[in-house]
Amino acid sequence: MAPVYLAVVGLGGVGKAFLSQLATLQLGSIAKPTVIFASRSSKQLYNKDFSAIDASTLDSSCSPILSLPDLTKWLADAPGKVILVDNTSNQDVADTYPSFLKKGISVVTPNKKAFSSSLQLWNDIFSSSSPSALVYHESSVGAGLPVISTLKDLVATGDQITKIQGVFSGTMSFLFNTFAPVTGSGSGKWSEIVSQAKDAGYTEPDPRDDLNGMDVARKCTILARLAGLEVEGPDSFPVQSLIPKALESASSASEFMQKLPEHDQEMESYKEDAAKQGKVVRFVASVDVQNNKVSVGLEMVEKDSPIAALKGSDNIFVFHTKRYSSSPLVVQGSGAGGEVTAMGVSADLIKAIERLS
């Protein structure tokens, strides 16, 4: 059995969690893969003879920096099958996936930019894959939740997807579950809850990166494409930003947070309008396959709906299909965080190794 080598790009939160899980992978009779390359920002670690490395020593590495084309060429010469594990959100790395695949290097990644950027890149990636150069990206949507695998199974077995909707962001889930719960009036003003979420690490360091809706739009793009829609990109359909227009030009995250309380009434109005109808407001993603429509934004939902009943920062993905018409198929749980994202990456790695072995 030919050895399997790993090149691990990105050793931040997800990357570190992945390496920890790699040490305990359950592969049965299949030999564990050998890590031969690791990188983080401006550091790389590898041995020219493809011998194993200790990724924990990356910071003290003196290995010369390989460009992405040089890395592709070097990995293609390895004496076995190679899997690139990209734990970054780097567009340049994503753009190189077709080149890796054409050289027989498989790709396992949570990098959603690879699958939500141009439709051309999407097509190039999958036209470059083969039985010996695989692509797995479960964690690009919903972290470790079985969202992509579920959708692929539905499509592959001939079910007809009519609609996919839900709350695809842990940040948005926490914000609205706290701001407009099914029972009670909420735990404070909108700006206070955004600040609370930021302090708890539920948002990016600059909350605008979550509030602009683009993270959710990227996930919608991926699911829409897998469901059969040729969506050009996350900017090709309506995406409602929760950044007040007056604050779009804020020079920093601190300025944005300082001025956000001035716009609390805008969000309060949404909540009050929903309450008058006996509903709650949520930030909902929708992929309407039947009508070829994709949208992201605020919606008023019934209090007894699965979307309204979410707790904490959970994600929910509701699949309406021909088979699941009377009662939709629901995937729900934690959709963010280093450990659960790394779990999705590790599970994909096992699948890739099993297919390559």
Side-chain angles (χ1 to χ4, degrees):
M1 188 179 296
V4 175
Y5 297 108
L6 298 186
V8 183
V9 180
L11 292 183
V14 175
K16 287 179 180 177
F18 166 74
L19 287 176
S20 176
Q21 293 175 21
L22 182 62
T24 58
L25 283 191
Q26 303 296 309
L27 291 169
S29 60
I30 301 174
K32 285 189 176 181
T34 301
V35 179
I36 59 170
F37 178 91
S39 70
R40 180 180 60 225
S41 58
S42 60
K43 282 280 187 180
Q44 296 182 352
L45 176 62
Y46 61 94
N47 296 316
K48 289 184 178 180
D49 63 357
F50 303 103
S51 56
I53 61 163
D54 179 358
S56 67
T57 65
L58 174 63
D59 287 340
S60 59
S61 172
C62 295
S63 298
I65 298 297
L66 296 175
S67 66
L68 286 169
D70 287 342
L71 175 61
T72 306
K73 192 180 301 182
W74 179 71
L75 291 176
D77 289 336
K81 294 173 181 176
V82 179
I83 301 173
L84 176 81
V85 181
D86 174 23
N87 293 312
T88 75
S89 59
N90 186 288
Q91 186 68 59
D92 290 337
V93 179
D95 290 342
T96 314
Y97 288 178
S99 297
F100 284 119
L101 292 162
K102 287 173 183 175
K103 290 291 187 179
I105 300 162
S106 296
V107 175
V108 170
T109 182
N111 187 346
K112 65 177 69 70
K113 288 182 179 176
F115 308 98
S116 62
S117 297
S118 71
L119 188 58
Q120 183 63 54
L121 178 59
W122 169 278
N123 290 333
D124 287 348
I125 288 171
F126 289 104
S127 65
S128 301
S129 65
S130 69
S132 59
L134 309 171
V135 180
Y136 283 97
H137 61 108
E138 181 71 74
S139 289
S140 63
V141 177
L145 294 176
V147 177
I148 287 177
S149 54
T150 296
L151 177 54
K152 283 184 173 181
D153 286 347
L154 290 170
V155 173
T157 57
D159 202 352
Q160 295 176 19
I161 312 298
T162 54
K163 194 173 192 178
I164 308 166
Q165 62 180 165
V167 177
F168 298 175
S169 162
T171 301
M172 293 299 193
S173 182
F174 175 83
L175 290 175
F176 285 95
N177 294 341
T178 308
F179 178 64
V182 172
T183 58
S185 58
S187 302
K189 296 179 179 179
W190 176 251
S191 60
E192 295 171 343
I193 294 169
V194 173
S195 180
Q196 179 185 344
K198 182 176 183 294
D199 293 342
Y202 287 126
T203 74
E204 295 294 330
D206 187 339
R208 291 176 294 181
D209 292 338
D210 294 294
L211 297 177
N212 64 14
M214 290 308 295
D215 177 68
V216 176
R218 286 189 177 278
K219 296 170 186 175
C220 269
T221 299
I222 295 169
L223 296 182
R225 288 172 175 173
L226 289 171
L229 300 185
E230 291 198 345
V231 177
E232 182 54 42
D235 54 356
S236 64
F237 53 85
V239 178
Q240 182 179 1
S241 172
L242 300 187
I243 301 172
K245 286 193 177 296
L247 298 184
E248 288 178 350
S249 59
S251 61
S252 65
S254 58
E255 180 188 348
F256 172 77
M257 292 303 298
Q258 184 180 358
K259 294 182 178 179
L260 188 58
E262 299 171 13
H263 302 272
D264 279 339
Q265 189 53 46
E266 295 174 31
M267 294 304 298
E268 195 66 32
S269 296
Y270 283 115
K271 181 167 76 169
E272 290 171 355
D273 289 346
K276 288 175 184 176
Q277 300 179 42
K279 299 179 180 181
V280 290
V281 64
R282 293 291 184 265
F283 196 77
V284 178
S286 177
V287 177
D288 187 341
V289 180
Q290 248 181 348
N291 296 303
N292 196 21
K293 290 182 179 179
V294 182
S295 62
V296 173
L298 294 176
E299 288 188 19
M300 298 177 189
V301 300
E302 300 290 345
K303 290 185 176 181
D304 60 354
S305 69
I307 290 174
L310 276 181
K311 302 295 184 184
S313 59
D314 277 4
N315 284 192
I316 187 169
F317 299 82
V318 183
F319 295 91
H320 299 267
T321 76
K322 184 177 180 180
R323 291 181 191 140
Y324 290 90
S325 55
S326 58
S327 181
L329 189 160
V330 176
V331 176
Q332 178 180 336
S334 178
E339 288 292 336
V340 291
T341 301
M343 184 278 289
V345 175
S346 298
D348 273 352
L349 178 65
I350 291 173
K351 294 172 186 173
I353 292 172
E354 288 175 342
R355 286 183 62 187
L356 292 172
S357 298

